[in-house]
Amino acid sequence: MADYKAPLRDMQFVLNEVFEVANLWAELPALAETVDVETAAAILEEAGKVTGGVIAPLNRSGDEEGCSWSAEGVKTPAGFPEAYRTYAEGGWVGVGGAPEFGGMGMPKAIGAQVEEMVNSANLSFGLYPMLTAGACLSLLNHASEELKAKYLPNMYAGTWAGSMCLTEPHAGTDLGIIRTKAEPQADGSYKISGTKIFITGGEHDLTENIIHLVLAKLPDAPAGSKGISLFLVPKVMVNADGSLAERNAVSCGSLEHKMGIKGSATCVMNFDGATGWIVDAPNKGLAAMFTMMNYERLGVGIQGLATGERSYQSAVEYARERIQSRAPTGPVAQDKAADPIIVHPDVRRMLLTMKALNEGGRAFSSYVAMQLDTAKYSEEPTTRKRAEELVALLTPIAKAFLTDMGLETTIHGQQIFGGHGFIREWGQEQLVRDCRITQIYEGTNGIQALDLMGRKIVGSGGAYAKLFTDEIRAFTASASAELAEFTGPLNAAVQNLEELTAWVLDRAKGNPNEIGAASVEYLHAFGYTAYAYMWALMARASLGKEGQDDFYASKLGTARFYFARLLPRIHSLTASVKAGSESLYLLDAAQF
């Protein structure tokens, strides 16, 4: 497998040439004095070094060894603790953290690039700091000042880790039926009792403490999701002076045996009257958790992009070197027995699909990250409200579409390797296995599609979608004539999406099944249209420069491929949506 090299040139292109992100930072006072183009470039360059040089070499060995459980605790693969220490000492765990508690304070647009790098290098490893950052975000926004001061500095520093404890054996998506209990104590603490499953980083040897955020119910809690509270439960108790005390009544019962991400400890966690403290107010746990969810769901989408990028780097290197058969137009490598497989149309189809989906996904994830920054930092209420609504609309698309495309991309990479792609030593089959989880956790992609269709489209009467399509129409209306080859089909795709949205809104009035029946295909149609917008923006930034630099020529060629070969997928998706829900209910349950 090719050594991982962070795609810094493309990241800089997206941030500086496509989105001119420095203009956004200048408009946001909280960021204007924190970050500029030079600072961002230096941060990304250093992140590329640590991810490529320290973390990426542990990817395959971590998969081979996996994590191991004993009564004393969980051991991560060889090299993980040392690499984590290096990563933490560089400040990377707190790259987006609040400066007042020791974080770097970087915008999400920068954090998103760092996340892609670490997850491309080693998805199993990347999950540990990601969960810590998510826990920090919930605490920052909802915990008391006392809890924040006591726990956040060490979490941002990477000395302590964080975990999010939601799922139970009987309660996955339906968190309203959780059974974990929280009993109030006279000193203001709570005793937490229950079992959680699928807890990433619930136990490991990377840090001296792990701070669990646990969903539980108080004795008098109302039924359902309205009765959920959030609690901070440390693995090791913390003294008033910040030193570590005795072990809390928290333990890892076992490790899950998984298809992929084997270097990530996925734990069954038992809370046996463990001491914890409430975060925010009673019965407000889901609100506190969802503060983290928008960031985490974008982060999971970036994991899909990241595995696709790693697969592409190896696939293109292999395609240039592997010789098999002659080109259809005649020999290319005259001095060799056969031509490199990159000459063959089907290999080019797969490589270009990978390239187009990866680069479109990088632009889209950066765009969503910029909306998160605007929603967080803008002092203008109208601007902030618009960004918040765009985030609500685009988050399920970012999570589901990026990961669905990530799996398609890693499978293409495996296919390019032929039989070698099925062999562990070449690395491509691991990326397929690792990527597969991204479609499942943080809310399955079917749930993301239902959220998009039900809450964001039907729930807003189409208003959220109109925000996005109006922006695209404003872009195409102001575009130069030279962009017509891109803006023409983009306008047609927007028109299709608007008509499809209206169709579902109308049908849903008479049949609620139409929402769920349309959801996955609608999300994909939206995703391909959003990527078309990204590619049109990238084409605008590249036109006129293609004769000066191969980078821009490659960008324009990939844009043309996207519009010619990938955007047309929206037509079959539209036909599937408009087929309605009736065919889904032709069979009784016994007939399956």
Side-chain angles (χ1 to χ4, degrees):
M1 174 170 250
D3 291 338
Y4 171 67
K5 296 180 181 178
L8 296 176
R9 177 69 181 88
D10 200 53
M11 290 175 173
Q12 297 284 8
F13 169 73
V14 168
L15 292 177
N16 299 329
E17 298 179 63
V18 177
F19 294 124
E20 299 179 332
V21 72
N23 293 338
L24 172 65
W25 296 338
E27 295 170 359
L28 304 175
L31 293 177
E33 298 180 3
T34 303
V35 62
D36 54 27
V37 170
E38 292 75 21
T39 302
I43 288 171
L44 296 184
E45 184 174 350
E46 287 304 310
K49 291 176 182 177
V50 72
T51 54
V54 177
I55 299 170
L58 300 174
N59 192 44
R60 183 169 171 242
S61 61
D63 180 66
E64 294 285 337
E65 181 183 349
C67 295
S68 56
W69 180 94
S70 73
E72 286 71 42
V74 171
K75 182 180 178 182
T76 56
F80 271 48
E82 294 79 8
Y84 196 86
R85 194 174 306 117
T86 299
Y87 190 78
E89 288 171 354
W92 300 111
V93 178
V95 66
E100 61 266 34
F101 296 107
M104 278 194 206
M106 289 298 107
K108 185 63 176 179
I110 297 300
Q113 317 308 318
V114 176
E115 287 176 37
E116 183 193 327
M117 290 186 228
V118 70
N119 288 311
S120 279
N122 190 328
L123 179 53
S124 289
F125 182 96
L127 282 162
Y128 294 104
M130 176 185 177
L131 267 294
T132 299
C136 287
L137 189 64
S138 288
L139 292 175
L140 181 66
N141 285 276
H142 297 280
S144 67
E145 292 303 317
E146 180 184 1
L147 288 178
K148 285 190 281 189
K150 191 170 186 177
Y151 292 96
L152 282 178
N154 279 322
M155 295 175 75
Y156 283 141
T159 308
W160 299 349
S163 87
M164 311 295 290
C165 302
L166 290 73
T167 305
E168 298 182 6
H170 66 287
T173 301
D174 190 0
L175 289 171
I177 60 173
I178 63 170
R179 296 173 184 157
T180 300
K181 298 296 183 185
E183 296 286 344
Q185 304 299 298
D187 63 357
S189 67
Y190 295 79
K191 293 296 183 184
I192 313 298
S193 299
T195 295
K196 301 288 185 176
I197 65 170
F198 304 155
I199 306 307
T200 302
E203 173 63 21
H204 54 73
D205 58 356
L206 303 181
T207 58
E208 62 185 22
N209 202 0
I210 301 172
I211 311 306
H212 305 286
L213 294 190
V214 185
L215 291 183
K217 288 194 170 186
L218 296 165
D220 59 351
S225 60
K226 294 181 179 179
I228 297 175
S229 299
L230 182 66
F231 298 87
L232 183 156
V233 184
K235 169 185 171 179
V236 181
M237 300 295 288
V238 180
N239 292 316
D241 63 359
S243 63
L244 296 180
E246 71 279 3
R247 176 74 182 253
N248 205 353
V250 181
S251 62
C252 174
S254 65
L255 290 177
E256 308 288 1
H257 303 285
K258 308 187 298 290
M259 173 180 173
I261 54 167
K262 295 184 178 180
S264 171
T266 306
C267 305
V268 175
M269 297 300 299
N270 297 317
F271 298 87
D272 301 307
T275 300
W277 290 266
I278 196 164
V279 176
D280 209 326
N283 307 321
K284 299 294 184 182
L286 279 189
M289 193 63 73
F290 272 99
T291 296
M292 172 273 299
M293 282 293 187
N294 280 337
Y295 284 78
E296 293 291 288
R297 285 175 172 167
L298 174 59
V300 172
I302 291 171
Q303 291 175 2
L305 163 64
T307 50
E309 171 65 28
R310 185 75 186 272
S311 182
Y312 174 75
Q313 290 190 16
S314 292
V316 73
E317 178 180 283
Y318 184 84
R320 288 172 177 151
E321 296 177 353
R322 173 72 167 173
I323 60 169
Q324 290 287 287
S325 304
R326 289 297 186 185
T329 53
V332 173
Q334 300 283 355
D335 59 334
K336 296 181 180 178
D339 288 329
I341 63 173
I342 200 168
V343 305
H344 300 302
D346 189 53
V347 173
R348 285 177 163 263
R349 174 188 66 83
M350 290 186 284
L351 284 172
L352 277 164
T353 299
M354 298 172 79
K355 190 176 191 309
L357 293 177
N358 285 342
E359 294 176 14
R362 182 171 300 117
F364 183 62
S365 62
S366 299
Y367 175 87
V368 178
M370 290 171 62
Q371 304 308 317
L372 282 166
D373 288 334
T374 303
K376 181 177 181 179
Y377 294 111
S378 177
E379 296 180 355
E380 167 54 49
T382 303
T383 301
R384 189 168 60 248
K385 180 176 182 292
R386 180 182 182 277
E388 289 169 350
E389 291 174 349
L390 278 175
V391 166
L393 171 74
L394 298 178
T395 293
I397 301 169
K399 193 279 182 185
F401 194 69
L402 280 163
T403 57
D404 283 346
M405 296 304 101
L407 184 66
E408 177 179 341
T409 300
T410 57
I411 289 173
H412 283 317
Q414 184 184 39
Q415 189 76 10
I416 289 167
F417 274 69
H420 292 142
F422 203 66
I423 305 302
R424 290 162 68 181
E425 287 78 3
W426 291 84
Q428 291 289 50
E429 62 85 34
Q430 181 191 341
L431 295 173
V432 175
R433 289 187 287 106
D434 285 353
C435 186
R436 186 65 184 90
I437 185 57
T438 65
Q439 297 171 297
I440 296 172
Y441 57 20
E442 289 295 337
T444 64
N445 285 0
I447 292 296
Q448 301 301 319
L450 192 59
D451 175 49
L452 172 67
M453 193 78 261
R455 290 197 182 104
K456 311 305 169 49
I457 301 300
V458 176
S460 74
Y464 286 5
K466 191 173 186 300
L467 282 176
F468 191 63
T469 56
D470 281 354
E471 178 181 320
I472 299 174
R473 288 200 179 279
F475 160 73
T476 58
S478 64
S480 65
E482 289 79 9
L483 270 181
E485 65 174 299
F486 306 108
T487 56
L490 175 56
N491 272 330
V494 170
Q495 179 71 27
N496 176 78
L497 184 62
E498 289 172 336
E499 292 174 356
L500 191 60
T501 302
W503 187 91
V504 176
L505 287 170
D506 180 65
R507 291 290 293 261
K509 294 175 184 176
N511 183 359
N513 281 335
E514 295 293 351
I515 297 173
S519 59
V520 170
E521 287 87 353
Y522 179 89
L523 184 147
H524 276 214
F526 206 125
Y528 284 114
T529 303
Y531 275 31
Y533 179 35
M534 298 298 108
W535 272 111
L537 289 170
M538 289 188 280
R540 181 180 66 175
S542 302
L543 272 174
K545 303 174 185 176
E546 62 269 30
Q548 310 163 21
D549 190 331
D550 272 352
F551 175 87
Y552 299 108
S554 172
K555 192 66 70 173
L556 285 170
T558 309
R560 291 179 175 119
F561 170 84
Y562 181 85
F563 278 92
R565 299 293 296 258
L566 298 184
L567 183 58
R569 293 179 181 184
I570 64 175
H571 301 304
S572 63
L573 293 163
T574 298
S576 292
V577 170
K578 290 187 175 180
S581 64
E582 289 82 3
S583 62
L584 300 182
Y585 291 89
L586 295 177
L587 304 185
D588 292 331
Q591 292 176 304
F592 278 89

PDB file of all heavy atoms in Angstrom, residues 293-319:
ATOM      1  N   MET A 293     -23.648  16.347  18.324  1.00  0.00           N
ATOM      2  CA  MET A 293     -24.004  15.478  17.203  1.00  0.00           C
ATOM      3  C   MET A 293     -23.738  16.107  15.840  1.00  0.00           C
ATOM      4  O   MET A 293     -23.262  15.431  14.923  1.00  0.00           O
ATOM      5  CB  MET A 293     -25.482  15.068  17.283  1.00  0.00           C
ATOM      6  CG  MET A 293     -25.772  13.973  18.281  1.00  0.00           C
ATOM      7  SD  MET A 293     -25.030  12.406  17.791  1.00  0.00           S
ATOM      8  CE  MET A 293     -25.727  11.333  19.051  1.00  0.00           C
ATOM      9  N   ASN A 294     -24.055  17.398  15.655  1.00  0.00           N
ATOM     10  CA  ASN A 294     -23.826  18.015  14.350  1.00  0.00           C
ATOM     11  C   ASN A 294     -22.350  17.968  13.980  1.00  0.00           C
ATOM     12  O   ASN A 294     -22.000  17.721  12.819  1.00  0.00           O
ATOM     13  CB  ASN A 294     -24.333  19.457  14.331  1.00  0.00           C
ATOM     14  CG  ASN A 294     -25.836  19.540  14.134  1.00  0.00           C
ATOM     15  OD1 ASN A 294     -26.449  18.621  13.602  1.00  0.00           O
ATOM     16  ND2 ASN A 294     -26.429  20.639  14.559  1.00  0.00           N
ATOM     17  N   TYR A 295     -21.488  18.213  14.958  1.00  0.00           N
ATOM     18  CA  TYR A 295     -20.052  18.143  14.696  1.00  0.00           C
ATOM     19  C   TYR A 295     -19.623  16.693  14.467  1.00  0.00           C
ATOM     20  O   TYR A 295     -18.845  16.403  13.559  1.00  0.00           O
ATOM     21  CB  TYR A 295     -19.281  18.754  15.866  1.00  0.00           C
ATOM     22  CG  TYR A 295     -19.302  20.258  15.888  1.00  0.00           C
ATOM     23  CD1 TYR A 295     -20.405  20.961  16.349  1.00  0.00           C
ATOM     24  CD2 TYR A 295     -18.209  20.997  15.429  1.00  0.00           C
ATOM     25  CE1 TYR A 295     -20.425  22.352  16.368  1.00  0.00           C
ATOM     26  CE2 TYR A 295     -18.224  22.389  15.449  1.00  0.00           C
ATOM     27  CZ  TYR A 295     -19.335  23.054  15.913  1.00  0.00           C
ATOM     28  OH  TYR A 295     -19.340  24.426  15.919  1.00  0.00           O
ATOM     29  N   GLU A 296     -20.099  15.784  15.285  1.00  0.00           N
ATOM     30  CA  GLU A 296     -19.699  14.387  15.171  1.00  0.00           C
ATOM     31  C   GLU A 296     -20.203  13.771  13.873  1.00  0.00           C
ATOM     32  O   GLU A 296     -19.505  12.969  13.250  1.00  0.00           O
ATOM     33  CB  GLU A 296     -20.236  13.584  16.363  1.00  0.00           C
ATOM     34  CG  GLU A 296     -19.615  13.954  17.697  1.00  0.00           C
ATOM     35  CD  GLU A 296     -18.160  13.551  17.804  1.00  0.00           C
ATOM     36  OE1 GLU A 296     -17.880  12.348  17.925  1.00  0.00           O
ATOM     37  OE2 GLU A 296     -17.297  14.436  17.749  1.00  0.00           O
ATOM     38  N   ARG A 297     -21.417  14.125  13.462  1.00  0.00           N
ATOM     39  CA  ARG A 297     -21.946  13.539  12.229  1.00  0.00           C
ATOM     40  C   ARG A 297     -21.191  14.039  11.011  1.00  0.00           C
ATOM     41  O   ARG A 297     -20.960  13.291  10.065  1.00  0.00           O
ATOM     42  CB  ARG A 297     -23.446  13.799  12.133  1.00  0.00           C
ATOM     43  CG  ARG A 297     -24.217  12.900  13.086  1.00  0.00           C
ATOM     44  CD  ARG A 297     -25.707  13.170  13.132  1.00  0.00           C
ATOM     45  NE  ARG A 297     -26.371  12.139  13.934  1.00  0.00           N
ATOM     46  CZ  ARG A 297     -27.611  12.213  14.375  1.00  0.00           C
ATOM     47  NH1 ARG A 297     -28.350  13.282  14.089  1.00  0.00           N
ATOM     48  NH2 ARG A 297     -28.126  11.232  15.088  1.00  0.00           N
ATOM     49  N   LEU A 298     -20.805  15.303  11.015  1.00  0.00           N
ATOM     50  CA  LEU A 298     -19.909  15.761   9.960  1.00  0.00           C
ATOM     51  C   LEU A 298     -18.582  15.014  10.058  1.00  0.00           C
ATOM     52  O   LEU A 298     -18.023  14.592   9.036  1.00  0.00           O
ATOM     53  CB  LEU A 298     -19.674  17.269  10.063  1.00  0.00           C
ATOM     54  CG  LEU A 298     -18.627  17.834   9.097  1.00  0.00           C
ATOM     55  CD1 LEU A 298     -19.003  17.576   7.650  1.00  0.00           C
ATOM     56  CD2 LEU A 298     -18.418  19.333   9.344  1.00  0.00           C
ATOM     57  N   GLY A 299     -18.109  14.814  11.290  1.00  0.00           N
ATOM     58  CA  GLY A 299     -16.855  14.091  11.486  1.00  0.00           C
ATOM     59  C   GLY A 299     -16.916  12.676  10.953  1.00  0.00           C
ATOM     60  O   GLY A 299     -15.942  12.176  10.361  1.00  0.00           O
ATOM     61  N   VAL A 300     -18.034  11.992  11.130  1.00  0.00           N
ATOM     62  CA  VAL A 300     -18.181  10.638  10.596  1.00  0.00           C
ATOM     63  C   VAL A 300     -18.217  10.678   9.071  1.00  0.00           C
ATOM     64  O   VAL A 300     -17.626   9.832   8.393  1.00  0.00           O
ATOM     65  CB  VAL A 300     -19.438   9.955  11.161  1.00  0.00           C
ATOM     66  CG1 VAL A 300     -19.689   8.625  10.463  1.00  0.00           C
ATOM     67  CG2 VAL A 300     -19.277   9.723  12.666  1.00  0.00           C
ATOM     68  N   GLY A 301     -18.910  11.678   8.515  1.00  0.00           N
ATOM     69  CA  GLY A 301     -18.877  11.826   7.068  1.00  0.00           C
ATOM     70  C   GLY A 301     -17.451  11.986   6.564  1.00  0.00           C
ATOM     71  O   GLY A 301     -17.059  11.376   5.550  1.00  0.00           O
ATOM     72  N   ILE A 302     -16.660  12.770   7.274  1.00  0.00           N
ATOM     73  CA  ILE A 302     -15.258  12.964   6.899  1.00  0.00           C
ATOM     74  C   ILE A 302     -14.489  11.655   6.993  1.00  0.00           C
ATOM     75  O   ILE A 302     -13.547  11.414   6.214  1.00  0.00           O
ATOM     76  CB  ILE A 302     -14.635  14.070   7.768  1.00  0.00           C
ATOM     77  CG1 ILE A 302     -15.244  15.425   7.383  1.00  0.00           C
ATOM     78  CG2 ILE A 302     -13.116  14.110   7.627  1.00  0.00           C
ATOM     79  CD1 ILE A 302     -14.883  16.567   8.314  1.00  0.00           C
ATOM     80  N   GLN A 303     -14.866  10.762   7.902  1.00  0.00           N
ATOM     81  CA  GLN A 303     -14.222   9.448   7.956  1.00  0.00           C
ATOM     82  C   GLN A 303     -14.443   8.675   6.656  1.00  0.00           C
ATOM     83  O   GLN A 303     -13.540   7.988   6.154  1.00  0.00           O
ATOM     84  CB  GLN A 303     -14.773   8.645   9.129  1.00  0.00           C
ATOM     85  CG  GLN A 303     -14.376   9.174  10.491  1.00  0.00           C
ATOM     86  CD  GLN A 303     -15.051   8.414  11.622  1.00  0.00           C
ATOM     87  OE1 GLN A 303     -15.784   7.466  11.398  1.00  0.00           O
ATOM     88  NE2 GLN A 303     -14.804   8.847  12.844  1.00  0.00           N
ATOM     89  N   GLY A 304     -15.668   8.763   6.099  1.00  0.00           N
ATOM     90  CA  GLY A 304     -15.919   8.117   4.809  1.00  0.00           C
ATOM     91  C   GLY A 304     -15.048   8.708   3.721  1.00  0.00           C
ATOM     92  O   GLY A 304     -14.440   7.982   2.916  1.00  0.00           O
ATOM     93  N   LEU A 305     -14.965  10.041   3.686  1.00  0.00           N
ATOM     94  CA  LEU A 305     -14.080  10.711   2.738  1.00  0.00           C
ATOM     95  C   LEU A 305     -12.637  10.281   2.945  1.00  0.00           C
ATOM     96  O   LEU A 305     -11.898  10.022   1.976  1.00  0.00           O
ATOM     97  CB  LEU A 305     -14.226  12.229   2.926  1.00  0.00           C
ATOM     98  CG  LEU A 305     -13.140  13.130   2.346  1.00  0.00           C
ATOM     99  CD1 LEU A 305     -13.098  13.025   0.836  1.00  0.00           C
ATOM    100  CD2 LEU A 305     -13.371  14.579   2.781  1.00  0.00           C
ATOM    101  N   ALA A 306     -12.220  10.196   4.193  1.00  0.00           N
ATOM    102  CA  ALA A 306     -10.823   9.897   4.524  1.00  0.00           C
ATOM    103  C   ALA A 306     -10.411   8.507   4.048  1.00  0.00           C
ATOM    104  O   ALA A 306      -9.315   8.325   3.497  1.00  0.00           O
ATOM    105  CB  ALA A 306     -10.612  10.026   6.032  1.00  0.00           C
ATOM    106  N   THR A 307     -11.260   7.520   4.269  1.00  0.00           N
ATOM    107  CA  THR A 307     -10.917   6.172   3.803  1.00  0.00           C
ATOM    108  C   THR A 307     -10.898   6.126   2.276  1.00  0.00           C
ATOM    109  O   THR A 307     -10.066   5.432   1.669  1.00  0.00           O
ATOM    110  CB  THR A 307     -11.897   5.129   4.359  1.00  0.00           C
ATOM    111  OG1 THR A 307     -13.246   5.557   4.127  1.00  0.00           O
ATOM    112  CG2 THR A 307     -11.694   4.918   5.855  1.00  0.00           C
ATOM    113  N   GLY A 308     -11.797   6.881   1.640  1.00  0.00           N
ATOM    114  CA  GLY A 308     -11.780   6.951   0.187  1.00  0.00           C
ATOM    115  C   GLY A 308     -10.507   7.584  -0.340  1.00  0.00           C
ATOM    116  O   GLY A 308      -9.943   7.128  -1.354  1.00  0.00           O
ATOM    117  N   GLU A 309     -10.021   8.628   0.319  1.00  0.00           N
ATOM    118  CA  GLU A 309      -8.777   9.278  -0.084  1.00  0.00           C
ATOM    119  C   GLU A 309      -7.592   8.332   0.047  1.00  0.00           C
ATOM    120  O   GLU A 309      -6.746   8.236  -0.852  1.00  0.00           O
ATOM    121  CB  GLU A 309      -8.551  10.535   0.760  1.00  0.00           C
ATOM    122  CG  GLU A 309      -7.188  11.190   0.584  1.00  0.00           C
ATOM    123  CD  GLU A 309      -6.945  11.750  -0.811  1.00  0.00           C
ATOM    124  OE1 GLU A 309      -7.931  12.119  -1.490  1.00  0.00           O
ATOM    125  OE2 GLU A 309      -5.759  11.819  -1.222  1.00  0.00           O
ATOM    126  N   ARG A 310      -7.538   7.598   1.159  1.00  0.00           N
ATOM    127  CA  ARG A 310      -6.419   6.649   1.353  1.00  0.00           C
ATOM    128  C   ARG A 310      -6.477   5.559   0.290  1.00  0.00           C
ATOM    129  O   ARG A 310      -5.445   5.150  -0.261  1.00  0.00           O
ATOM    130  CB  ARG A 310      -6.514   6.041   2.759  1.00  0.00           C
ATOM    131  CG  ARG A 310      -5.326   5.129   3.133  1.00  0.00           C
ATOM    132  CD  ARG A 310      -4.088   5.948   3.450  1.00  0.00           C
ATOM    133  NE  ARG A 310      -2.905   5.138   3.671  1.00  0.00           N
ATOM    134  CZ  ARG A 310      -2.540   4.619   4.841  1.00  0.00           C
ATOM    135  NH1 ARG A 310      -3.292   4.810   5.909  1.00  0.00           N
ATOM    136  NH2 ARG A 310      -1.420   3.941   4.952  1.00  0.00           N
ATOM    137  N   SER A 311      -7.671   5.083  -0.028  1.00  0.00           N
ATOM    138  CA  SER A 311      -7.815   4.050  -1.039  1.00  0.00           C
ATOM    139  C   SER A 311      -7.385   4.570  -2.408  1.00  0.00           C
ATOM    140  O   SER A 311      -6.703   3.873  -3.172  1.00  0.00           O
ATOM    141  CB  SER A 311      -9.270   3.570  -1.084  1.00  0.00           C
ATOM    142  OG  SER A 311      -9.429   2.530  -2.029  1.00  0.00           O
ATOM    143  N   TYR A 312      -7.753   5.800  -2.727  1.00  0.00           N
ATOM    144  CA  TYR A 312      -7.401   6.384  -4.020  1.00  0.00           C
ATOM    145  C   TYR A 312      -5.887   6.520  -4.166  1.00  0.00           C
ATOM    146  O   TYR A 312      -5.328   6.212  -5.231  1.00  0.00           O
ATOM    147  CB  TYR A 312      -8.059   7.760  -4.179  1.00  0.00           C
ATOM    148  CG  TYR A 312      -7.619   8.484  -5.431  1.00  0.00           C
ATOM    149  CD1 TYR A 312      -8.097   8.095  -6.680  1.00  0.00           C
ATOM    150  CD2 TYR A 312      -6.704   9.540  -5.366  1.00  0.00           C
ATOM    151  CE1 TYR A 312      -7.683   8.754  -7.835  1.00  0.00           C
ATOM    152  CE2 TYR A 312      -6.289  10.195  -6.511  1.00  0.00           C
ATOM    153  CZ  TYR A 312      -6.778   9.802  -7.741  1.00  0.00           C
ATOM    154  OH  TYR A 312      -6.360  10.445  -8.881  1.00  0.00           O
ATOM    155  N   GLN A 313      -5.219   6.979  -3.118  1.00  0.00           N
ATOM    156  CA  GLN A 313      -3.768   7.156  -3.217  1.00  0.00           C
ATOM    157  C   GLN A 313      -3.070   5.843  -3.551  1.00  0.00           C
ATOM    158  O   GLN A 313      -2.146   5.807  -4.364  1.00  0.00           O
ATOM    159  CB  GLN A 313      -3.225   7.745  -1.911  1.00  0.00           C
ATOM    160  CG  GLN A 313      -3.635   9.191  -1.680  1.00  0.00           C
ATOM    161  CD  GLN A 313      -2.905   9.831  -0.507  1.00  0.00           C
ATOM    162  OE1 GLN A 313      -1.880   9.325  -0.027  1.00  0.00           O
ATOM    163  NE2 GLN A 313      -3.410  10.968  -0.041  1.00  0.00           N
ATOM    164  N   SER A 314      -3.517   4.768  -2.940  1.00  0.00           N
ATOM    165  CA  SER A 314      -2.907   3.465  -3.231  1.00  0.00           C
ATOM    166  C   SER A 314      -3.310   2.959  -4.611  1.00  0.00           C
ATOM    167  O   SER A 314      -2.492   2.384  -5.341  1.00  0.00           O
ATOM    168  CB  SER A 314      -3.319   2.448  -2.160  1.00  0.00           C
ATOM    169  OG  SER A 314      -2.752   2.774  -0.915  1.00  0.00           O
ATOM    170  N   ALA A 315      -4.580   3.160  -4.966  1.00  0.00           N
ATOM    171  CA  ALA A 315      -5.083   2.638  -6.244  1.00  0.00           C
ATOM    172  C   ALA A 315      -4.403   3.312  -7.430  1.00  0.00           C
ATOM    173  O   ALA A 315      -4.053   2.654  -8.414  1.00  0.00           O
ATOM    174  CB  ALA A 315      -6.597   2.816  -6.315  1.00  0.00           C
ATOM    175  N   VAL A 316      -4.205   4.626  -7.365  1.00  0.00           N
ATOM    176  CA  VAL A 316      -3.606   5.312  -8.503  1.00  0.00           C
ATOM    177  C   VAL A 316      -2.133   4.947  -8.637  1.00  0.00           C
ATOM    178  O   VAL A 316      -1.614   4.801  -9.762  1.00  0.00           O
ATOM    179  CB  VAL A 316      -3.819   6.845  -8.403  1.00  0.00           C
ATOM    180  CG1 VAL A 316      -2.948   7.480  -7.332  1.00  0.00           C
ATOM    181  CG2 VAL A 316      -3.595   7.508  -9.753  1.00  0.00           C
ATOM    182  N   GLU A 317      -1.458   4.729  -7.525  1.00  0.00           N
ATOM    183  CA  GLU A 317      -0.062   4.291  -7.595  1.00  0.00           C
ATOM    184  C   GLU A 317       0.018   2.896  -8.213  1.00  0.00           C
ATOM    185  O   GLU A 317       0.866   2.629  -9.076  1.00  0.00           O
ATOM    186  CB  GLU A 317       0.570   4.297  -6.204  1.00  0.00           C
ATOM    187  CG  GLU A 317       2.016   3.812  -6.182  1.00  0.00           C
ATOM    188  CD  GLU A 317       2.619   3.817  -4.795  1.00  0.00           C
ATOM    189  OE1 GLU A 317       2.977   4.906  -4.321  1.00  0.00           O
ATOM    190  OE2 GLU A 317       2.722   2.726  -4.184  1.00  0.00           O
ATOM    191  N   TYR A 318      -0.867   2.014  -7.790  1.00  0.00           N
ATOM    192  CA  TYR A 318      -0.890   0.648  -8.325  1.00  0.00           C
ATOM    193  C   TYR A 318      -1.217   0.665  -9.818  1.00  0.00           C
ATOM    194  O   TYR A 318      -0.599  -0.053 -10.611  1.00  0.00           O
ATOM    195  CB  TYR A 318      -1.922  -0.175  -7.555  1.00  0.00           C
ATOM    196  CG  TYR A 318      -1.995  -1.629  -7.942  1.00  0.00           C
ATOM    197  CD1 TYR A 318      -1.128  -2.563  -7.388  1.00  0.00           C
ATOM    198  CD2 TYR A 318      -2.941  -2.070  -8.859  1.00  0.00           C
ATOM    199  CE1 TYR A 318      -1.194  -3.904  -7.739  1.00  0.00           C
ATOM    200  CE2 TYR A 318      -3.019  -3.409  -9.224  1.00  0.00           C
ATOM    201  CZ  TYR A 318      -2.153  -4.320  -8.665  1.00  0.00           C
ATOM    202  OH  TYR A 318      -2.229  -5.649  -9.018  1.00  0.00           O
ATOM    203  N   ALA A 319      -2.195   1.495 -10.215  1.00  0.00           N
ATOM    204  CA  ALA A 319      -2.625   1.525 -11.617  1.00  0.00           C
ATOM    205  C   ALA A 319      -1.524   2.037 -12.537  1.00  0.00           C
ATOM    206  O   ALA A 319      -1.470   1.668 -13.716  1.00  0.00           O
ATOM    207  CB  ALA A 319      -3.868   2.401 -11.753  1.00  0.00           C
TER     208      ALA A 319
END
